């Protein structure tokens, strides 16, 4: 199984399946395609007949694209790894939140690009503030849900945590104010050994994207 990703420092979509696979103990080969520093991703997309975007998962002669579809595939293929919570109601909530991240939070995603090396103090725009309020609401809903104990949104780490993992970096990198529940969750995500591995790799990367480094 081969996961194509891009810059660990900047590629938020790459982080989602990568962290899910690491935390779930799914073995995979990783292929880094720094799309703004060469045309390898463009060539791969053309060869496989899919958009030249990461993440992409090559498995059993197939290519999968779109982060959320990859996470769904992994949950089905490894049902024992708990990538979605066992309880149907909690699973439905987790899926709604994961889908909301995939299609929403546009202001947060555009104005605060993931940059693991950033350490800034941004004054958020009104649109970013609105996204932060929505995060607080969502976290309150998970807090109120009937769920197993644990540091993550559904108790144990699951696909919904993977979908929001880049938000931890955004909040941390731009010094954004969040609810106490979100802050506790962000600490737990940051403390994951796999996240420490991701951060070390992001720090060690020599590629830079000046337009992202200038933000904040
Ligand atoms: N909807 C896609 C988004 C993927 C995406 O936009 N990936 C970005 C990197 S974070 C990318 O590959 N960009 C390549 C480019 O813009 O050339 C998903 O969920 O996987």
């Amino acid at each position: 199984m081969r996961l194509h990703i891009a810059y660990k420092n900047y590629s938020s979509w790459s982080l989602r399946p990568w962290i899910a696979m690491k935390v779930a103990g799914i073995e995979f080969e990783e292929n880094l395609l720094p799309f703004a520093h060469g045309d390898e991703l463009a060539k791969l997309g053309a060869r496989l007949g899919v958009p030249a975007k990461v993440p992409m998962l090559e498995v059993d002669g197939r290519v999968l694209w779109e982060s959320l579809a990859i996470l769904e595939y992994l949950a089905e293929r490894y049902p024992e790894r708990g990538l979605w919570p066992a309880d149907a109601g909690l699973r439905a909530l987790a899926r709604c939140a994961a889908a909301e991240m995939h299609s929403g939070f546009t202001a947060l995603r555009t104005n605060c690009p993931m940059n693991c090396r950033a350490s800034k103090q941004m004054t958020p725009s009104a649109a970013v503030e609105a996204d932060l309020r929505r995060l607080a609401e969502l976290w309150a809903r998970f807090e109120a849900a009937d769920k197993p104990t644990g540091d993550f949104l559904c108790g144990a780490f699951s696909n919904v945590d993977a979908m929001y993992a880049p938000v931890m970096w955004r909040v941390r990198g731009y010094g954004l104010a969040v609810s106490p529940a979100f802050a506790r969750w962000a600490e737990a995500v940051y403390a994951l050994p796999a996240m420490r591995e991701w951060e070390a790799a992001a720090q060690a990367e020599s590629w830079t994207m000046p337009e992202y480094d200038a933000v904040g």
Side-chain angles (χ1 to χ4, degrees), residues 34-110:
F35 53 81
H37 298 84
D39 60 359
E40 274 188 76
L41 178 58
K43 283 186 183 150
L44 181 70
R47 179 166 66 78
L48 297 175
V50 298
K53 301 266 185 204
V54 285
M56 251 186 240
L57 184 71
E58 284 193 85
V59 54
D60 295 341
R62 291 193 181 85
V63 59
L64 311 184
W65 67 103
E66 288 292 338
S67 52
L68 197 48
I70 293 172
L71 291 174
E72 286 288 0
Y73 171 84
L74 294 169
E76 264 189 30
R77 182 169 170 141
Y78 300 96
E80 74 290 355
R81 308 292 167 105
L83 281 169
W84 289 121
D87 177 79
L90 193 56
R91 192 162 65 246
L93 173 61
R95 281 196 162 116
C96 289
E100 186 176 345
M101 168 45 71
H102 197 246
S103 64
F105 292 100
T106 318
L108 185 62
R109 290 202 277 111
T110 4

